[in-house]
Amino acid sequence: MIHDALIGPFAEFEFMRRALAAVIALAVAGAPIGVFLMLRRMSLVGDAMAHAILPGAAVGFLLSGLSLFAMTAGGLIAGFAVAILAGVVARSTGLKEDASLATFYLASLALGVTIVSIKGTNIDLLHVLFGNILAMDDQTLLVVAFNATVTLLVLAMIYRPLVIESVDPLFLRTVSRAGGPAHLAFLALVVINLVNGFQALGTLLAVGLMILPAGTARFWSRDLTTMICIAVVAAAVSGYAGLVLSFQTRVPSGPAIILVATMLYIVSVLFGRVGGIVRQLFPRPAPGSMTMRLILICALMLIATPLHAAERLNVVASFSILGDFVRNVGGDRINLTTLVGADGDVHVYTPAPADAKRVADARLVIVNGLGLEGWLPRLVQSSGSKATVVVASAGIVPLKLGSAADPHAWQSVPNARIYVTDIANALAAAVPGEADFFRTQARAYLEKLETLDREIRDAVAKIPPERRKVISTHDAFGYFSAEYGIRFIAPLGVSTETEPSARDIAAIISQIKAQKIPAVFLENISDDRLIRRIAAESGAKVGGTLISDSLTGEKGSAPTYIDMVRHNIKALTSALDH
């Protein structure tokens, strides 16, 4: 049982083997860099450099989309520029390196955010920067392996001056001029490894795989070579155990790896042979070794707990609204898994290995389509699933959202009826013996949707036609607007992707006054004081939150699709009432 839980995922799934290969390459290259960052008191440099590569990755993304070469090249150029400029300024002036680096990294981060804001997009670049180690293809894996090889070769070349400078930089300056080039080369390696990780763990989590194993090694040895070896092993073990943990649970793989690395670090702080807390309190008994073994055994037992197989028809729905439709049709005759659960964001979801296992075990995978689940085709392919993929929006004529199809078709209740019919047909085809049950369930639910549709039309009819308009920075209600006649007006010149600027707020207030708009829903403004100021200056009523892409939990205001639509129409009619 334990063997199947620990080895089975890698034996069964190629995407797990690719992920393990990638994380080992990152461990072999990144952990030694982390050790030197720690010795040189530059641990926070990694985090700073992770932010510094943002403008380069953003430019690459805007020019070529999700192109591995463009984003990697852009990140490398931006990271090298910040590293070199910070190093040159620190060595040419009296400014300390941490202050110099902080200055350039803040400027770089601001530039990156500005680039993303100027050209709004419905793909969250920050989500891309968090990476997805489960999506390793041949090209990405080769890039990771190549960068790891370059790192080890360059590190071998600068190892001696790097060690001496870490211990006594003044001595190195008196006997050699290799300190400056070695330092710049080291900063370049930091950049390479951060960019190396951004397609896997993401640049931000890649910092954790550098620093945490290095901190762990510090508590077990004073010898530099031994510390590097321990750091590499700790990083590799963290990667392996994190992937297993992620496979057996629904924790995303990147955070799972870092959480395991954190656990190893905490164990080392407590029981490490060099400066561990328990070792200092009990120098002779040295109970740390046995205690660490016991803790690791317990952790392995926890992550090795197998999942129970489902007995009914396995169905996977991509997100919570679809899951509610499927649940109402399938009832207790199916075993339903919803990948993006309550309060989740389907646009930027990061699949976990457990999701791949569920997809692989499913007979039906029900998706929205219309470009909503950009991450799902790779998940289905990498899982090796033989499931039938059902597009629940089939038969719906899509509206446009910019140049692409608007995926939020469920906001129109007549469209929701099409979803339910498509789902019922798919379930009936998958299990012909239960076809009558599924169609009976569907008819009952379709009647509820018909009643809901009448409720909306009756509520809208009570609103004077001239007041059926709201300003909203939300872009998910095009189908609702087309079906029910409430106009959703976008603020002039305001991006839906970023927090509005002072000029944006002024434009919103002016537009509300000019068009006599009675209500405003500003979904991307989180500061209540700012919302109150807009209401006070414009005279418009500020509505509540409109729920669009996800249901809430059971205790929330919209645990089901019908609850969600009723919540939205109540918020709209309340805001547009006299």
Side-chain angles (χ1 to χ4, degrees), residues 308-316 326 330-337 362 364:
H308 297 287
E311 297 177 357
R312 299 183 292 270
L313 173 68
N314 287 338
V315 181
V316 169
V326 177
D332 60 0
R333 308 298 170 88
I334 65 171
N335 183 56
L336 174 65
T337 296
L364 288 181

Side-chain angles (χ1 to χ4, degrees), residues 177-305:
R177 295 182 180 180
H183 180 73
L184 292 178
F186 175 69
L187 289 179
L189 291 182
V190 174
V191 173
I192 289 174
N193 280 272
L194 288 173
V195 175
N196 200 32
F198 103 91
Q199 284 285 339
L201 292 177
T203 53
L204 305 184
L205 293 182
V207 176
L209 202 60
M210 280 186 188
I211 301 302
L212 287 170
T216 297
R218 168 65 180 80
F219 288 97
W220 294 100
S221 177
R222 289 190 176 92
D223 178 73
L224 178 59
T225 303
T226 305
M227 285 176 60
I228 291 176
C229 293
I230 293 174
V232 170
V233 171
V237 169
S238 299
Y240 168 78
L243 288 172
V244 174
L245 174 63
S246 183
F247 188 88
Q248 300 293 359
T249 66
R250 304 203 68 180
V251 178
S253 52
I257 291 170
I258 301 305
L259 286 174
V260 173
T262 302
M263 183 188 72
L264 293 178
Y265 174 76
I266 293 173
V267 169
S268 301
V269 170
L270 294 174
F271 306 111
R273 296 174 56 189
V274 181
I277 294 174
V278 174
R279 182 77 176 203
Q280 294 183 59
L281 295 176
F282 306 99
R284 292 185 182 276
S289 178
M290 181 60 68
T291 307
M292 184 174 182
R293 290 193 188 101
L294 291 174
I295 290 175
L296 291 177
I297 290 172
C298 292
L300 289 175
M301 290 177 66
L302 286 174
I303 65 178
T305 302

Side-chain angles (χ1 to χ4, degrees), residues 109-188:
L109 177 61
L111 178 61
V113 173
T114 302
I115 292 171
V116 175
S117 300
I118 289 174
K119 187 172 181 179
T121 172
N122 61 357
I123 297 178
D124 188 348
L125 182 61
L126 292 180
H127 167 68
V128 174
L129 290 179
F130 276 97
N132 186 0
I133 200 167
L134 305 181
M136 288 285 114
D137 54 20
D138 290 340
Q139 183 185 22
T140 307
L141 196 56
L142 286 174
V143 170
V144 170
F146 175 79
N147 287 340
T149 304
V150 170
T151 297
L152 293 177
L153 291 175
V154 175
L155 195 59
M157 295 172 59
I158 65 172
Y159 185 80
R160 185 179 179 85
L162 201 60
V163 171
I164 297 174
E165 189 179 45
S166 298
V167 178
D168 191 346
L170 182 59
F171 171 76
L172 181 63
R173 288 176 189 154
T174 60
V175 299
S176 173
R177 295 182 180 180
H183 180 73
L184 292 178
F186 175 69
L187 289 179

